[in-house]
Amino acid sequence: MQRRRLFAAATAAPVALATPALAQTLPEIRWRLTSSFPRTLDITYSTSEYMCRAVSDITDGRFRIQPFPAGEIAPGLAALDAVQSGSVEMAHTGGLFFTGKNSALAFSTTVPFMLNVRQQHAWFFHGGGNEMLNAVYKDFNIHALPCGNTGNQMGGWFRKEIAKAEDLRGLKFRVAGLAGNVMQKVGVVPQQIAPGDIYPALERGTIDGVEYIGPYDDAKLGFNKVARYYYYPGWGEGGAIFHAYVNLQKFQELPPAYRAAIETACTAATNWMLAQYDWKNVEAMYRLVAEGVQLRQFSNEVIDTLYRATQEVFAEQSAANLQFKAILDSQIAFRDRHFAYHQVSDYAFDSMMLRLRRQQAR
């Protein structure tokens, strides 16, 4: 009888359930994000969309960030300025686009002959990389979070064969970041051009070649229609990290739960982007070769020349910029400490598989 009375009381009127604590205590916030990439570059641009959706999902829609492609709010190469000034709250971009403001920003994407993809990831999250770079970004009123990784990139597209270092001399070449300083030392005329503007420059002959990312994006941008020779390896970008830039004041004003949501979403987006490129670059490379693209490996002479030029650039930048020197020293120590492990794990495994495949092909 007692149970029946309790059941009747419970069902006589609807019970007011407590709403989730998140909905009770956290505000609704709407932000805008400007990307350095056009919609046509569906992996890089979609990474910002992925991150924004994740933030919304994590916060049950209370914190929403609307992404915009390059040019709708700000030009692709003005992303840092837009966040710094507060005209937008966030951007998705690469620090190598802004080395003219501070050469140390190159490390937030990648620098020549340094870390591979996995080493980059480890250095940023466990080797002090995020902390060191955000000390630089603080001068620009920005908090930066890794938000995407392209993997190892290609060496670039050329209208003619590059058999020796001398063949680089005089070329007008689109390249970003510190690799441009290196190529300038060997006689190249580097050009900093936003991703969406590269193809018209190549088609018109304003530039003689271009380094961008890899087979998938390069084919989407149509470089193979103008340049025939596609070189590897990507000596200048062993594992390029992109970042979500957040206006520092806006980031500090966020509730801790929303800051955590951005951090979690950016980490997830980094893994999503890398997996996309590892999947799509493979098929794109096969298609390009089938269509007649000439895949070429840089000669040892070219690589050695670029490596020597890189050491000169490192020395010059270190002497002129203490932040650059501190981060370079950190990455060199990290690379040299970790190289032995990768040599007995990843590199040895790849070499083993290559040998076995060659045996099977005989």
Side-chain angles (χ1 to χ4, degrees), residues 102-107 111 114 132 178 181 185 309-332:
N102 185 327
S103 59
L105 294 179
F107 291 99
V111 297
M114 195 55 67
M132 295 184 80
L178 215 62
N181 300 65
K185 279 194 170 291
T310 296
Q311 304 317 303
E312 292 178 19
V313 170
F314 283 168
E316 292 167 359
Q317 294 295 335
S318 293
N321 185 339
L322 293 179
Q323 290 177 318
F324 184 98
K325 183 180 187 307
I327 299 175
L328 176 65
D329 289 347
S330 172
Q331 280 207 353
I332 289 175

Side-chain angles (χ1 to χ4, degrees), residues 193-340:
I193 303 174
D197 299 326
I198 300 172
Y199 178 80
L202 187 63
E203 184 182 39
R204 292 193 301 265
T206 306
I207 55 176
D208 301 305
V210 53
E211 181 278 325
Y212 186 56
I213 290 181
Y216 182 74
D217 279 349
D218 293 358
K220 286 185 75 71
L221 290 174
F223 301 154
N224 55 302
K225 298 175 183 176
V226 185
R228 182 183 181 190
Y229 297 98
Y230 198 22
Y231 275 84
Y232 68 94
W235 57 272
E237 298 187 59
I241 297 278
F242 290 138
H243 275 74
Y245 287 178
V246 192
N247 179 276
L248 181 58
Q249 181 180 351
K250 292 290 185 180
F251 186 74
Q252 292 172 340
E253 291 172 353
L254 285 175
Y258 286 1
R259 293 200 295 269
I262 293 179
E263 292 167 354
T264 300
C266 285
T267 301
T270 298
N271 294 329
W272 182 88
M273 177 190 272
L274 183 58
Q276 286 281 316
Y277 276 119
D278 283 345
W279 169 40
K280 293 183 176 179
N281 272 335
V282 174
E283 298 305 319
M285 184 184 73
Y286 282 117
R287 286 195 301 271
L288 287 169
V289 172
E291 292 168 3
V293 167
Q294 299 297 302
L295 198 60
R296 295 282 190 270
Q297 184 172 2
F298 284 125
S299 68
N300 288 341
E301 183 207 339
V302 170
I303 291 295
D304 291 348
T305 299
L306 291 167
Y307 180 78
R308 289 192 296 270
T310 296
Q311 304 317 303
E312 292 178 19
V313 170
F314 283 168
E316 292 167 359
Q317 294 295 335
S318 293
N321 185 339
L322 293 179
Q323 290 177 318
F324 184 98
K325 183 180 187 307
I327 299 175
L328 176 65
D329 289 347
S330 172
Q331 280 207 353
I332 289 175
F334 189 92
R335 179 198 62 191
D336 294 349
R337 178 70 173 172
H338 285 248
F339 183 81

Side-chain angles (χ1 to χ4, degrees), residues 108 120-137 143-147 241 243 267:
S108 71
Q120 280 276 76
H121 201 72
W123 179 78
F124 270 98
F125 287 97
H126 300 292
N130 284 330
E131 293 77 13
M132 295 184 80
L133 284 162
N134 271 311
V136 180
Y137 278 114
H143 183 74
L145 296 161
C147 190
I241 297 278
H243 275 74
T267 301

